[in-house]
């Protein structure tokens, strides 16, 4: 940005590195160039400053397609002033007394370039449908506008050089754009739903596999439990059979032992009986030759051994005489010296 210092009847100009200044005094160029510094009289001087750096111009306009659809075109044009003297002579880039440039020159350039872009773009879009404009309109308009602006005679004669044109977007109206986006959104939603369903199917398949594995494990455990129960039953049956066999052997041995014991006891009883019989026989043989009185006395002796205790015994004369008579049958009682009972 240039600076102007004002003094009485004279001023001093100090230019900028990106501004091309043209100093006219009474219609004659006195100073021109970048970064100039000079004194001038404000009453007889006219100063113009043209920017020599690259300029960016955003452009937005509407066009109608072949199928009567409105589309908006957003573009950006990069340009510069390659002939500042011609630009200063044809466009208004005059400096104000404070040193700031007016915006009239930039507005004129924006109008010229914008109208050129819009006219060429409208002609091109009018020959295409909405689908074609949206599909290849960006590249086609970029090539078309670049070639048309770079070869435009008015821009060349004015000293404006087009460096490049970028078409950023070709978009339909919002309602149409949403309608065009609906099939894609539906397709994307369908793909998302398909992915969800596939994920669920995979999850269900995995759950089924897990359930089958769990069921197989339960079946295997049940089979093993059944085998264990059968084995335990077989072991218990074998143990019972072993216990029964052992009991049978023990009972058989006990029966044989008791049989042997009974046989021995019977044999012993037989021997004892035979001995007792022999003794009785011998006794009876001894008793055979004894008289009646002796046998009676022995019988009383044997009987006395088994009789209970007798505290009082009453002997009558008849009983005593009968016993004594039995003991001495051949001897009268008076001869034997016994008293006669009853006399």
């Amino acid at each position: 940005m240039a600076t102007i210092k004002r003094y009485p009847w004279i001023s001093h100009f100090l230019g900028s590195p990106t501004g091309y200044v043209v100093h006219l005094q009474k219609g004659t160029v006195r100073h021109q160039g970048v970064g100039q510094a000079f004194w001038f009289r404000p009453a007889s001087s006219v100063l113009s400053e043209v920017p020599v750096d690259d300029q960016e111009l955003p452009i937005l306009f509407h066009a109608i397609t072949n199928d009567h659809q409105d589309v908006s075109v957003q573009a950006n044009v990069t340009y510069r002033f390659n002939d500042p003297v011609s630009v200063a002579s044809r466009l208004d880039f005059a400096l104000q007394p404070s040193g700031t440039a007016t915006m009239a020159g930039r507005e004129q350039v924006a109008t010229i370039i914008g109208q050129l872009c819009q006219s060429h773009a409208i002609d091109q879009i009018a020959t295409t449908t909405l689908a074609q404009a949206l599909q290849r309109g960006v590249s086609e308009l970029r090539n078309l506008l670049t070639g048309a602006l770079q070869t435009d005679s008015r821009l060349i004669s004015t000293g404006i050089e087009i460096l490049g044109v970028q078409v950023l977007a070709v978009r339909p109206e919002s309602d149409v754009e949403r309608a065009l986006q609906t099939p894609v959104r539906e397709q994307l939603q369908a793909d998302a739903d398909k992915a969800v369903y596939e994920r669920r199917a995979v999850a269900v398949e995995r759950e089924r596999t897990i359930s089958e594995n769990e069921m197989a494990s339960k079946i295997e455990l049940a089979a093993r439990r059944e085998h264990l129960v059968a084995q335990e039953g077989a072991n218990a049956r074998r143990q019972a059979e072993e216990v029964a066999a052992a009991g049978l052997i023990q009972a058989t041995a006990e029966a044989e032992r008791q049989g042997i014991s009974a046989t021995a006891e019977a044999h012993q009883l037989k021997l004892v009986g035979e001995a007792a019989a022999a003794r009785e026989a011998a006794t009876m043989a001894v008793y055979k030759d004894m008289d009646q009185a002796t046998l009676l006395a022995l019988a009383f002796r044997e009987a006395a051994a088994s009789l209970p205790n007798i505290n009082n015994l009453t002997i009558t004369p008849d009983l005593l005489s009968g016993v004594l008579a039995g003991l001495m049958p051949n001897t009268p009682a008076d001869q034997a010296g016994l008293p006669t009972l009853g006399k």
Side-chain angles (χ1 to χ4, degrees), residues 15-31:
S16 64
T18 58
Y20 191 98
V21 65
V22 177
H23 176 207
L24 297 177
Q25 187 174 8
K26 296 181 181 181
T28 304
V29 177
R30 298 294 303 272
H31 299 90

Side-chain angles (χ1 to χ4, degrees), residues 213-276:
N213 293 335
E214 291 179 352
M215 186 177 297
S217 299
K218 291 181 179 180
I219 294 174
E220 181 66 21
L221 291 176
R224 292 184 179 181
R225 189 179 296 109
E226 181 181 2
H227 179 70
L228 178 61
V229 171
Q231 187 64 35
E232 289 179 350
N235 294 337
R237 185 169 57 254
R238 178 177 296 178
Q239 184 177 2
E241 291 176 355
E242 294 294 334
V243 171
L248 179 61
I249 294 173
Q250 184 177 1
T252 303
E254 184 66 21
E256 291 180 354
R257 185 180 63 77
Q258 290 180 359
I260 294 172
S261 178
T263 302
E265 185 177 359
H267 183 66
Q268 183 179 2
L269 291 176
K270 181 180 179 183
L271 293 179
V272 171
E274 291 178 353

Side-chain angles (χ1 to χ4, degrees), residues 186-207:
E186 294 295 334
Q187 182 63 35
L188 294 177
Q189 186 64 38
D191 294 339
D193 294 339
K194 181 179 178 181
V196 172
Y197 297 150
E198 290 178 354
R199 184 170 64 254
R200 290 181 179 177
V202 172
V204 170
E205 181 67 21
R206 290 180 179 175
E207 290 179 358

Side-chain angles (χ1 to χ4, degrees), residues 1-182:
M1 178 179 177
T3 59
I4 299 176
K5 294 182 179 181
R6 303 181 65 183
Y7 300 96
W9 303 291
I10 196 170
S11 298
H12 184 269
F13 173 84
L14 179 61
S16 64
T18 58
Y20 191 98
V21 65
V22 177
H23 176 207
L24 297 177
Q25 187 174 8
K26 296 181 181 181
T28 304
V29 177
R30 298 294 303 272
H31 299 90
Q32 64 176 356
V34 178
Q36 296 290 317
F38 52 86
W39 295 92
F40 65 96
R41 292 180 180 273
S44 60
S45 298
V46 175
L47 298 179
S48 298
E49 186 180 33
V50 179
V52 294
D53 54 342
D54 295 344
Q55 303 293 312
E56 301 291 338
L57 177 63
I59 300 174
L60 178 63
F61 56 89
H62 291 265
I64 304 299
T65 61
N66 188 22
D67 49 359
H68 308 288
Q69 297 296 324
D70 181 53
V71 295
S72 60
V73 180
Q74 182 179 359
N76 186 77
V77 179
T78 303
Y79 67 94
R80 68 182 175 185
F81 300 107
N82 58 357
D83 190 357
V85 177
S86 298
V87 173
S89 62
R90 302 186 64 175
L91 301 177
D92 185 8
F93 282 93
L95 287 177
Q96 297 178 358
S98 61
T100 58
T102 60
M103 298 301 298
R106 295 178 183 272
E107 293 175 356
Q108 290 174 347
V109 174
T111 301
I112 295 171
I113 296 178
Q115 290 177 353
L116 289 174
C117 291
Q118 187 171 358
S119 62
H120 291 290
I122 288 175
D123 294 340
Q124 173 64 23
I125 292 175
T127 60
T128 60
T129 61
L130 176 62
Q132 295 173 348
L134 296 178
Q135 183 177 4
R136 59 176 186 271
V138 173
S139 59
E140 290 181 352
L141 288 178
R142 180 177 62 250
N143 297 330
L144 174 65
L145 294 179
T146 301
L149 294 179
Q150 288 179 349
T151 58
D152 186 76
S153 58
R154 182 180 178 183
L155 295 178
I156 295 174
S157 61
T158 305
I160 301 174
E161 179 183 3
I162 302 300
L163 301 178
V165 178
Q166 298 295 328
V167 179
L168 303 179
V170 177
R171 301 183 60 179
E173 294 180 346
S174 58
D175 296 338
V176 177
E177 186 175 13
R178 283 195 297 269
L180 294 175
Q181 291 174 353
T182 300

